[in-house]
Amino acid sequence: MPPITNDWADALKEEYRKEYYKKLFDFVGREYASGTVYPPGDDIFNAFHLTPLKDVKVVIIGQDPYHEPGQAHGLSFSVKPGVDIPPSLQNIYKELETDLGCYIPNNGYLVKWAEQGVLLLNAVLTVRAHQAASHQNKGWEQFTDAVIKKLNAEDRPIVFLLWGSFARSKKAMLDNPQHLILEAPHPSPLSAYRGFFGCRHFSKANEYLEKNGVTPIDWQIENI
């Protein structure tokens, strides 16, 4: 796993020393050595590389990386250019169209969001090919919970978008009154019609940022 070299490295240095992380590091190394694992090793920490802690404005929490070829590249919900847009992301785009008038782009590459301060954080950062949830309960959740706690402790406004029961379970760690927590059903086709559509989280996030003197997010992903 490539090291995190920006301000996240100092924020998370205590985690690297813990026994669970040593076991996780060894497990992930063995997995990559013995089979196909996603995302590519150099992409595991892309969310952190692209969105330094000091720049985080919005946090979107996913659960697991995509587990089919060419999809996952270290950002929750995002896929590489040229890859079919997954159903949940299609629904995110539909909500953006309704909420902010964004056109639906021809790609699912969300690096533009990450570079503006949207931390696209999966709770688990690796997965075996074709085996959803195969790296759950190996230590990643403890690591990313530590990330969420660091974000919660930040002395500035951050918006947390918690979509679905798994993401909403993280709310217990978020008790800083400076932050805005927005909850909705998951954008997957199974649940989007139960309240994700119409949640207007993107405009609400921008309104909160602007109210607190923070530059809002340009949510439009352009065509490639």
Side-chain angles (χ1 to χ4, degrees):
M1 295 191 286
I4 300 170
T5 56
N6 59 19
D7 58 355
W8 279 112
D10 186 61
L12 297 170
K13 63 186 179 184
E14 294 301 320
E15 299 306 304
Y16 302 141
R17 301 186 182 122
K18 294 178 180 178
E19 190 62 30
Y20 88 86
Y21 191 85
K22 295 172 186 173
K23 291 179 180 177
L24 171 64
F25 188 90
D26 290 343
F27 167 77
V28 171
R30 289 194 306 270
E31 288 286 288
Y32 274 90
S34 62
T36 302
V37 177
Y38 300 125
D42 287 346
D43 290 347
I44 293 172
F45 292 124
N46 265 355
F48 303 94
H49 296 150
L50 290 167
T51 315
L53 174 58
K54 66 180 176 57
D55 296 337
V56 175
K57 300 176 182 180
V58 178
V59 182
I60 299 178
I61 298 174
Q63 189 163 0
D64 228 27
Y66 298 121
H67 55 269
E68 295 302 324
Q71 293 181 306
H73 66 110
L75 304 180
S76 63
F77 293 101
S78 182
V79 290
K80 293 178 181 177
V83 176
D84 289 345
I85 301 171
S88 291
L89 184 52
Q90 290 179 25
N91 286 338
I92 290 169
Y93 284 162
K94 288 175 184 175
E95 176 59 22
L96 269 168
E97 183 181 42
T98 302
D99 187 11
L100 291 173
C102 295
Y103 69 80
I104 295 177
N106 62 3
N107 68 92
Y109 194 51
L110 304 182
V111 165
K112 177 183 175 179
W113 293 359
E115 290 177 339
Q116 293 181 84
V118 181
L119 183 68
L120 296 165
L121 180 67
N122 277 320
V124 176
L125 300 185
T126 55
V127 67
R128 277 184 209 147
H130 318 301
Q131 297 182 49
S134 50
H135 285 186
Q136 288 184 7
N137 303 314
K138 302 295 184 182
W140 278 129
E141 293 92 343
Q142 189 169 341
F143 179 75
T144 53
D145 279 357
V147 170
I148 293 168
K149 290 172 184 174
K150 289 290 183 185
L151 291 162
N152 179 64
E154 286 290 291
D155 187 25
R156 57 196 172 84
I158 296 174
V159 181
F160 291 83
L161 305 185
L162 307 182
W163 299 334
S165 58
F166 179 83
R168 294 168 90 166
S169 73
K170 305 299 181 181
K171 185 181 179 182
M173 292 182 278
L174 303 173
D175 60 2
N176 186 334
Q178 292 196 70
H179 304 326
L180 175 66
I181 301 165
L182 297 175
E183 300 178 71
H186 196 276
S188 88
L190 298 174
S191 55
Y193 288 95
R194 296 206 294 264
F196 177 78
F197 290 139
C199 70
R200 300 189 64 245
H201 279 186
F202 303 101
S203 60
K204 289 175 182 177
N206 276 355
E207 287 164 8
Y208 191 76
L209 293 173
E210 289 186 285
K211 186 176 78 173
N212 286 280
V214 180
T215 303
I217 306 298
D218 176 6
W219 292 103
Q220 178 68 69
I221 298 295
E222 284 82 17
N223 285 334
I224 293 177

